[in-house]
Every structure is written in C-alpha cells, then in structure tokens.
Amino acid sequence: MQRKEIIAMLLAGGEGRRLGALTQKLAKPAVPFGGKYRIIDFTLSNCSNSGIDTVGVLTQYQPLILNSYLGIGTSWDLDRANGGVTVLPPYVQQKGGNWYKGTANAIFQNMFYIERYNPQYVLVISGDHIYKMDYDKMLDEHKKRGAEATIALIEVPWQEASRFGVMNVDGADRITEFEEKPKNPKTNLASMGIYIFNWDVLKSYLVRDDENPYSSNDFGKDIIPRMLQEERDLYAHRFQGYWKDVGTIESLWEANMDLLEAYPTLNLHDNEWRIYSVNPNQPPQYIAPYASVKQSLVNEGCMVFGNVDHSVLFYGVHVGEKSMIKDSIIMPNVRIGQNVKIYKTIIAEGTVIGDNCTIGVEGEHAPITLIGEDSFIPANAKIKN
C-alpha cells in the first residue's frame, strides 16, 4: 500500500439523541441539511477540497442509510484504488470485539486501518458539524510549529462558552489548559473537535488509554488532558468563518435558516470550495402561476401550488393549493395537502399531511415543532410542538 502523508478519520457513529425523531432511524451525519445535502457532505467535501484522499468513516449507530449514501465515495471524488472512502464499523477480532466505547476507542480499534497507509499525520474530524475549512492550511501550521497535536479553535460569544470545551493559549498559540464545559470559562476559544496528530504520538496515547480501566476513551476528556498534563506540544489553529454544531433541533433549524439570507456567511455558491453531495436525479421543480415563493430554497422535483415563505424544501416535496409554509424545513418526498398551514416546523422525509391541517406555532419566539419520518397526519389535525 502506498504511503500517505496524512489520512482522515471521520467520527460518524454518534446516536444524536438531541435530534429526537430525526435520528430514530438515521445516524446524525446522515440527517438532511440545506435543501440538498446531508450533514456529512461538509466534512467529506472539506477533505476532498483539501487534497486528503483517504478517509476512514467510523460508523456505529443506525449505519444502513449512511453506508448506502457513502458508497465508494464517488460523489466527493474520493473513489480511489489506493485510499478513498472506507466505512469502518465495529468488528469481531480473534479475541472478541466491542462497540466503540468513545471517540478515542473508535480510532484505537481501527489502528490496523491507519497503519496500512503508514501516515505521518492523522486528522480526526466529526461528521456532525457544518463548516468549510482548508485542512491543508491547518497541516502547514502544524508542521511549521513542530507540533505534536494541533486543535482547531473558534471564538464563540462569551455567554455561550460554558457549552463548549474551551482552550487557554499563550502568546504563541500554544495550548496551556483545557476546560470541558466550565461554569466560569477563562477564555472563549472553543474546540471544534478537529485535531491533527503526529501518528506515532497519537498511537502511543491510544494504547495507554486503552490500558486504563478508568478512562472514558474520549479525546476531549482523556487524550487531550493527558497530553497537556505531560507537557506535549499542542497548538491552536484559529478558525474564522461559519461553523455550527447541528446537534440539537434548535441549532439544526437555525443553520438552515442562516442559508436564507441574500448573502449568507456560509456561501454554498462558492465554486472555489464546492460542497459535494449525492444527486437524487429528480425532474425540474414546478411553481404554479398562482403560487408564491419568497426567500426560500426549493430543490428539484418539488411541485408548489401554495405559498412558501422563508423555508427550505428538499427534493420531491409537493405543496397543495392554498397551503402556507413559513419558517420551516420540509425534508425529501413530503406531501402536503390543500389549505394546510405550517409554521416553524421541521418535517422529516416521507411524511404525508392531509388537507386543512395546522402544524406549529407562528411567531419569532415560538418553539420548533418536529414531525418524524414517514408520519401520516390526517385531515383537519392541529399539532403544536
């Protein structure tokens, strides 16, 4: 096997409980986003655009649809004879096997895969964040500083810092302290869960971590604190740009609504940094002459006979006559009847909504209503949150 300078290990096995009904049958990275994509498209596209052509995708929870979606990586230009995308579920070895017990343990269980490519560096990323990042620039910084690990950090509002793992750094951006969700944070530099390690260093810590029966086998809780305790060379890579952890219904809704600005911070029309996805190959959209569509994303295959305002419609959505959709996300192949009112709601794939229904509550501060996959809402129903 040809040696690689760097390979990526993409953590995609999280259950995503905070996304409720959206992840009952689906892994979090496979949740649809932005009218066209799935969440994992962003990290895979970042790898492809950064010149990283070998990506191990670690799956565990509800992997069927995610595995099928990834295929051999063709949609992201990651179908390679030497490298490409490889799905890595837990497996049984001669001495038995285990589910992945934590993020670090997932990498530990796949050291054999990493060593096939004998890399100098390993990039560890998560498949549940929305952002565009050039990992090659991060690697350049890592090499110039002679770092043993580099962690991507982003400034977050001070009032939100206690929700994240935050890092204290010195004047040279060397990381001096890590605090996991502190009540009174000393800094607002939050970890983005993106790491570059020298492979020989990471390997030694993974082995020691596996031997520790008291470890939670997690990068944030175990590996990084231990490296800091032993005064290893850890540096920050400061990221400036759009980044969103879409791990909750609220953050997923907000990230979709962010795309509805005329000039959104997350530019999906940037030909220099394209976000790739699997093309569903649907027919063109149709907007009836008496329909209305304002400030919305409407994907191919949609048929709109009603009114759509400040909303995201994925492919294959049907909106009946005299229906109104406002501040909502309608996922693929949802069929909405006539005279239906939908406010601030996320409707999962394959749902059917009968005529004369009212779903959700109108208003800027109203709670978000969620309708799960393949639901059937009978005519005249009224559903609030």
Side-chain angles (χ1 to χ4, degrees):
M1 193 69 69
Q2 183 180 348
R3 186 183 189 195
K4 303 283 185 179
E5 181 187 32
I6 183 169
I7 71 168
M9 299 296 279
L10 198 165
L11 299 162
E15 185 173 341
R17 291 181 183 175
R18 292 179 297 167
L19 289 177
L22 291 180
T23 51
Q24 283 183 351
K25 303 177 184 176
L26 201 62
K28 184 164 59 171
V31 170
F33 176 80
K36 180 181 179 68
Y37 309 97
R38 293 185 187 265
I39 296 171
I40 198 171
D41 285 331
F42 288 81
T43 40
L44 287 174
S45 297
N46 287 341
C47 287
S48 180
N49 290 327
S50 301
I52 296 174
D53 64 7
T54 304
V55 184
V57 182
L58 298 111
T59 64
Q60 180 161 269
Y61 173 78
Q62 294 284 14
L64 180 62
I65 292 175
L66 180 59
N67 293 354
S68 173
Y69 184 73
L70 295 173
I72 58 171
T74 306
S75 297
W76 305 271
D77 192 26
L78 290 171
D79 51 332
R80 306 296 170 88
N82 179 34
V85 167
T86 303
V87 176
L88 300 169
Y91 60 96
V92 175
Q93 305 173 51
Q94 277 190 329
K95 296 180 180 179
N98 293 298
W99 294 108
Y100 297 146
K101 293 181 285 188
T103 53
N105 179 259
I107 305 297
F108 173 80
Q109 290 199 39
N110 287 283
M111 289 200 304
F112 173 74
Y113 166 81
I114 296 172
E115 297 206 309
R116 290 177 68 203
Y117 299 99
N118 189 23
Q120 190 170 355
Y121 308 105
V122 172
L123 169 71
V124 178
I125 48 181
S126 298
D128 52 2
H129 297 156
I130 302 295
Y131 64 104
K132 299 193 292 187
M133 179 189 281
D134 188 342
Y135 302 134
D136 193 43
K137 289 183 178 177
M138 184 174 172
L139 178 61
D140 280 345
E141 277 190 6
H142 179 89
K143 290 191 286 189
K144 287 176 182 175
R145 289 166 164 168
E148 293 175 298
T150 297
I151 302 172
L153 304 181
I154 186 170
E155 286 191 31
V156 297
W158 276 96
Q159 64 271 25
E160 296 182 16
S162 59
R163 296 197 298 113
F164 298 92
V166 295
M167 306 273 181
N168 294 312
V169 300
D170 66 14
D173 271 349
R174 180 169 176 158
I175 296 170
T176 58
E177 187 179 9
F178 172 74
E179 297 177 288
E180 180 69 17
K181 299 179 180 178
K183 288 184 179 178
N184 299 301
K186 302 172 187 173
T187 174
N188 64 339
L189 287 174
S191 170
M192 300 169 66
I194 302 168
Y195 313 98
I196 290 178
F197 294 96
N198 293 355
W199 171 233
D200 58 343
V201 175
L202 175 60
K203 181 180 176 181
S204 69
Y205 277 86
L206 291 175
V207 171
R208 290 165 60 191
D209 183 67
D210 186 65
E211 294 170 347
N212 179 3
Y214 303 105
S215 175
S216 54
N217 308 118
D218 184 85
F219 278 100
K221 296 175 182 174
D222 304 289
I223 301 294
I224 301 302
R226 190 164 189 174
M227 292 182 76
L228 286 170
Q229 186 181 30
E230 297 179 359
E231 300 184 344
R232 306 303 293 245
D233 291 323
L234 275 66
Y235 283 87
H237 172 73
R238 292 178 183 252
F239 176 74
Q240 293 180 327
Y242 186 93
W243 176 79
K244 197 88 168 183
D245 179 348
V246 287
T248 66
I249 291 298
E250 289 76 16
S251 61
L252 179 68
W253 182 85
E254 289 170 2
N256 276 275
M257 295 299 111
D258 287 344
L259 299 174
L260 300 179
E261 299 299 321
Y263 301 99
T265 306
L266 182 69
N267 181 10
L268 298 178
H269 298 272
D270 181 2
N271 289 328
E272 300 298 318
W273 201 270
R274 296 184 61 184
I275 303 300
Y276 302 102
S277 185
V278 175
N279 189 344
N281 195 23
Q282 292 275 322
Q285 60 177 244
Y286 175 75
I287 312 295
Y290 45 83
S292 170
V293 176
K294 296 189 297 184
Q295 198 179 1
S296 297
L297 298 176
V298 180
N299 199 350
E300 59 189 16
C302 289
M303 300 186 73
V304 179
F305 297 91
N307 301 310
V308 179
D309 183 9
H310 197 252
S311 295
V312 176
L313 272 59
F314 285 74
Y315 64 83
V317 171
H318 178 103
V319 180
E321 293 183 12
K322 299 181 180 178
S323 288
M324 160 62 81
I325 300 172
K326 185 173 176 58
D327 301 328
S328 295
I329 303 164
I330 314 298
M331 293 187 174
N333 300 317
V334 171
R335 189 170 184 84
I336 298 167
Q338 297 182 7
N339 197 33
V340 173
K341 305 290 185 290
I342 298 174
Y343 304 107
K344 202 170 183 180
T345 296
I346 300 175
I347 300 178
E349 185 167 1
T351 291
V352 176
I353 299 173
D355 296 341
N356 306 310
C357 290
T358 300
I359 299 175
V361 180
E362 188 173 14
E364 182 180 354
H365 301 293
I368 300 165
T369 300
L370 174 63
I371 305 294
E373 186 177 347
D374 294 326
S375 298
F376 174 73
I377 310 298
N380 305 308
K382 296 183 185 300
I383 298 176
K384 296 180 180 178
N385 194 26

